[in-house]
Amino acid sequence: MIEQLDGMRETVRFEDQGSVRIYHNVEKEGYPLHWHNACEVIMPLQGGYRVVCQNQDIVLKQGDILWIGAGVLHQIYEPEEAEGERLLILYDPRFFNEFHEFSAVAVFSAPAVFIQKDVLPDLHQRLQDILLDVLQIEIDRGYFKNVMIYADMMKFNALIFSDLIQHQASLSKVALKQSNPDRPVWDANHMSQIYSSCKYIREHVADNLSLDLVAEQSGFSKFYFSRLFKTYTQMSFLEFLNRCRVSEAEKLLADPGRTVTAVALECGLIACQRLTGSLHKSKTVRRPNIKESRI
């Protein structure tokens, strides 16, 4: 399946000038530790699969779904069963960044999301239906194949990230209760305003952003905004800003014609050493934990 591997970096070659690559895999084979700029979805249709992602061992049973983010180190082991059938989908995530709904919350995503049928049956069923539809479209190979498949993957991502937002909301409610147990107040409008600030940060990562400036854009005082931002995102303003800059750098470095220096300047990461170190870290310990069964 891996066509071009340089060290641990795989270059994904999309077919038909599209942005999605589909493998209907019935071969008994594994793939070494690697990463790529594409997102990947794995669903065993018959038998199981074992994947190590960010040093965490994940055993997929038939029907389980694993989503792996771009730039995440992972290894797929050869199945133990003599026979099996698996669907693997790799797709270019850059198009999603044109939609602020995705770009604002993408930084919160785990390196991988494991959706098990017996844990979240409703979400699993919706995602499975989408993936099976993608497989059928690939088999039929109609004229609008690429468009229809990418539309399905757009819906797939929307469901994944909708679950992310719900999870972030639950975390913020817990944080509010802990900080003010007598009167925990969770405000959907505040969360919406904070996510709008996240969108603003993503759009201006190369600018000389400061907490004061973003707080002023949101209409809050610096100290109140800082507290709200931490509550509703579970990270500080500076941590979120740095994650956005590293994420943007990862996308730009997918273009082999760009130098690290140029990308550092374009993303607001002026020091090349800092960029290189951040990107190296993002490939090995990009985010703390794989989310099992929900984001």
Side-chain angles (χ1 to χ4, degrees):
M1 184 181 93
I2 295 180
E3 297 176 325
Q4 183 177 340
L5 192 63
D6 181 11
M8 288 189 293
R9 177 175 178 173
E10 178 191 1
T11 299
V12 178
R13 296 176 177 175
F14 298 112
E15 296 179 324
D16 303 325
Q17 297 182 337
S19 301
V20 181
R21 188 73 187 268
I22 298 172
Y23 297 93
H24 186 196
N25 192 334
V26 294
E27 298 179 9
K28 184 178 171 66
E29 59 182 355
Y31 310 103
L33 190 65
H34 66 286
W35 65 274
H36 39 65
N37 288 315
C39 292
E40 183 169 0
V41 179
I42 303 173
M43 182 173 70
L45 301 173
Q46 179 185 347
Y49 234 156
R50 178 186 168 215
V51 180
V52 172
C53 184
Q54 301 291 82
N55 297 319
Q56 296 193 43
D57 207 324
I58 306 169
V59 178
L60 287 83
K61 296 183 292 186
Q62 182 173 317
D64 286 344
I65 298 169
L66 177 65
W67 175 89
I68 303 173
V72 174
L73 275 171
H74 60 287
Q75 180 173 359
I76 304 175
Y77 286 85
E78 181 178 311
E80 295 182 358
E81 298 91 344
E83 297 181 355
E85 182 181 3
R86 297 154 206 92
L87 176 63
L88 297 95
I89 302 174
L90 292 93
Y91 62 95
D92 189 340
R94 287 176 292 181
F95 179 71
F96 293 103
N97 293 308
E98 301 298 323
F99 296 84
H100 74 268
E101 291 93 340
F102 286 120
S103 63
V105 300
V107 177
F108 303 130
S109 66
V113 182
F114 186 27
I115 303 103
Q116 297 169 286
K117 182 178 181 179
D118 55 351
V119 177
L120 283 180
D122 293 339
L123 177 61
H124 176 273
Q125 185 64 57
R126 296 178 71 183
L127 296 175
Q128 179 180 259
D129 289 345
I130 292 172
L131 297 180
L132 292 177
D133 186 58
V134 166
L135 177 58
Q136 188 59 55
I137 294 170
E138 174 68 13
I139 293 171
D140 294 341
R141 299 191 69 83
Y143 180 74
F144 285 102
K145 183 196 78 168
N146 289 331
V147 176
M148 294 173 69
I149 288 176
Y150 215 78
D152 271 345
M153 296 313 298
M154 181 76 74
K155 186 175 181 180
F156 182 93
N157 267 46
L159 289 172
I160 289 284
F161 281 94
S162 291
D163 196 64
L164 163 63
I165 292 176
Q166 293 175 26
H167 186 56
Q168 282 295 127
S170 66
L171 290 177
S172 64
K173 290 176 182 178
V174 171
L176 283 166
K177 186 175 182 179
Q178 291 174 342
S179 63
N180 190 3
D182 296 328
R183 191 185 174 191
V185 178
W186 184 86
D187 191 324
N189 289 328
H190 281 171
M191 188 168 190
S192 177
Q193 287 172 289
I194 293 301
Y195 277 13
S196 293
S197 298
C198 292
K199 173 179 176 289
Y200 178 82
I201 294 169
R202 292 281 293 189
E203 292 175 345
H204 297 84
V205 289
D207 297 345
N208 186 22
L209 290 177
S210 65
L211 177 61
D212 300 76
L213 175 62
V214 179
E216 183 179 350
Q217 285 283 336
S218 69
F220 295 118
S221 71
K222 171 184 175 180
F223 299 104
Y224 189 56
F225 174 81
S226 180
R227 184 159 62 89
L228 283 179
F229 196 91
K230 178 72 173 180
T231 299
Y232 285 95
T233 67
Q234 306 303 300
M235 67 183 77
S236 69
F237 163 78
L238 186 58
E239 182 182 0
F240 181 84
L241 176 59
N242 286 336
R243 284 195 182 189
C244 287
R245 286 174 169 167
V246 170
S247 176
E248 184 67 18
E250 288 174 348
K251 291 187 297 177
L252 295 177
L253 285 174
D255 180 356
R258 292 178 183 266
T259 65
V260 173
T261 303
V263 168
L265 292 170
E266 194 166 344
C267 298
L269 291 165
I270 304 303
C272 297
Q273 186 176 0
R274 177 184 175 189
L275 172 61
T276 305
S278 298
L279 288 177
H280 175 71
K281 183 179 180 182
S282 76
K283 296 293 180 273
T284 54
V285 288
R286 183 174 183 179
R287 295 181 183 109
N289 294 305
I290 292 172
K291 303 294 184 180
E292 294 191 4
S293 305
R294 71 176 300 111
I295 297 186

